Amino acid sequence: MNGTEMKNVKQRTFLSMVKRNVKLFFKDKAMFFTSLITPAILLVLYVTFLGNVYRDNFSAGFPEGFSLSRQVIDGAVGAQLLSSILAVCCVTVPFCSNMLMVQDKITGARKDLLIAPLKPAVLPVSYFLATVASSLIVCLAAFGLCLGYVHAVGWFYTWGDVLRLAGDVVLLVLFGTALSSLIHFFLSTQGQISAVGTIVSAGYGFICGAYMPISGFGTGLQKVLSFLPSTYATALMRNHAMGGVLQQMQSEGVPEEVVRGIQKALDCDPEFAGKTVAVPEMYLLLCLTILLLLGCYILVHGIAERKQRLP
């Protein structure tokens, strides 16, 4: 077998491993429905319990005697709900999708996969890409569901806004996959999977500012959270979700100072060391974080593979 044929065999083997992981995820009803039902539950909870709270907060932020149309208020609430749900789901869903990596350890399937004469990075990258593919299917479906809700209550998006939001979904899924891959590497039991899944599902929405804006936290906690990439992931999603409705508010006569106050209150303009972090800087920070997490994940995976293959 010449070099070209060997390369083609390795490529087919790699693609087969990715397809195998994606198929197993959708075949496992527990993993699939757990990841799929999370966005739907969050949407119902937000609309049922937090919608009126958000609506009252928006109304209270305007000058006395000033009023906006119901559509603009509902559109602002819908945009905040959309950004909050997607900011959480795009990170928590990969934690569900990536459970297969740990289950392969539990069942011994990982040892069988290591028998193949592949480069050390092939197996971890196949898990990574399969998790990205599975998570994107779920998160883009959730994105469509949220867009349907926003369209029903108050639509102020252009196609450019929708594309930017879709790009944010992809970027946050990559971030969630890289983070979950590194954490899941160190898990080896079903109990550990459940514990990590519970902690992430319950706590991530708070530390990233999705459930409650970080601007409402204490000064000390705000400084601590400013060091976390999750803060800027949520801020990026919030900027693109709220941009259209904030422009509509200005066109209806809302003072620019009030609009800036709303942006700050919703974490659209996060600060680090007293300086406002711009959107391009958020993109750069998230991309560097993804590369760092992915590099660490491949590194520890490669070290573990070499130890297991040693006689």
Side-chain angles (χ1 to χ4, degrees):
M1 185 180 294
N2 58 39
T4 302
E5 291 176 340
M6 178 64 72
K7 182 178 179 180
N8 291 335
V9 169
K10 290 182 177 180
Q11 288 177 346
R12 288 196 296 270
T13 302
F14 173 72
L15 292 176
S16 296
M17 293 174 68
V18 175
K19 291 179 181 178
R20 173 249 181 198
N21 295 339
V22 174
K23 288 180 180 179
L24 286 177
F25 167 73
F26 288 103
K27 187 177 180 180
D28 190 322
K29 299 298 188 294
M31 281 194 297
F32 175 63
F33 282 111
T34 298
S35 60
L36 186 63
I37 202 172
T38 300
I41 290 177
L42 282 176
L43 179 59
V44 172
L45 291 177
Y46 268 79
V47 173
T48 304
F49 297 103
L50 292 179
N52 290 331
V53 175
Y54 288 168
R55 191 174 290 107
D56 293 341
N57 288 341
F58 274 111
S59 300
F62 297 125
E64 187 176 351
F66 188 89
S67 62
L68 283 174
S69 65
R70 179 61 181 253
Q71 186 182 22
V72 173
I73 295 295
D74 288 345
V77 172
Q80 187 176 359
L81 294 178
L82 178 147
S83 61
S84 298
I85 291 171
L86 293 178
V88 174
C89 291
C90 290
V91 175
T92 57
V93 168
F95 273 85
C96 296
S97 305
N98 222 349
M99 288 180 183
L100 180 63
M101 183 174 69
V102 186
Q103 290 183 344
D104 279 351
K105 290 182 186 179
I106 298 172
T107 61
R110 184 173 181 274
K111 293 182 180 179
D112 297 333
L113 295 172
L114 289 175
I115 296 175
L118 299 172
K119 293 182 179 180
V122 171
L123 184 59
V125 172
S126 68
Y127 282 128
F128 180 87
L129 291 181
T131 301
V132 169
S134 302
S135 301
L136 276 177
I137 292 173
V138 176
C139 291
L140 288 175
F143 179 44
L145 186 65
C146 291
L147 285 180
Y149 170 73
V150 174
H151 187 272
V153 298
W155 182 268
F156 296 97
Y157 292 148
T158 64
W159 281 111
D161 295 329
V162 174
L163 290 176
R164 280 188 286 272
L165 284 169
D168 293 342
V169 170
V170 175
L171 187 62
L172 265 66
V173 166
L174 289 172
F175 169 64
T177 302
L179 179 62
S180 64
S181 296
L182 184 58
I183 293 176
H184 280 32
F185 173 82
F186 298 99
L187 308 182
S188 57
T189 67
Q190 194 66 45
Q192 291 174 347
I193 294 176
S194 300
V196 169
T198 301
I199 292 172
V200 172
S201 298
Y204 180 80
F206 289 100
I207 65 172
C208 75
Y211 295 155
M212 180 184 296
I214 293 175
S215 61
F217 296 164
T219 304
L221 186 56
Q222 288 185 37
K223 290 181 179 179
V224 173
L225 296 179
S226 68
F227 286 92
L228 302 182
S230 56
T231 298
Y232 307 102
T234 303
L236 186 64
M237 185 73 73
R238 194 88 79 192
N239 267 282
H240 293 153
M242 298 294 302
V245 71
L246 290 176
Q247 289 180 0
Q248 181 64 28
M249 287 182 183
Q250 284 187 302
S251 67
E252 293 194 9
V254 177
E256 186 177 349
E257 295 78 10
V258 175
V259 173
R260 284 202 297 265
I262 293 174
Q263 287 179 303
K264 187 173 182 61
L266 294 179
D267 297 335
C268 294
D269 299 320
E271 294 184 353
F272 180 80
K275 296 182 179 179
T276 300
V277 180
V279 169
E281 294 171 334
M282 296 181 201
Y283 276 122
L284 178 61
L285 175 63
L286 285 175
C287 289
L288 291 177
T289 301
I290 292 169
L291 292 176
L292 177 61
L293 291 172
L294 182 57
C296 292
Y297 164 62
I298 294 175
L299 177 63
V300 296
H301 213 295
I303 293 173
E305 282 187 21
R306 291 190 185 95
K307 289 183 178 179
Q308 290 186 12
R309 286 174 173 169
L310 288 176

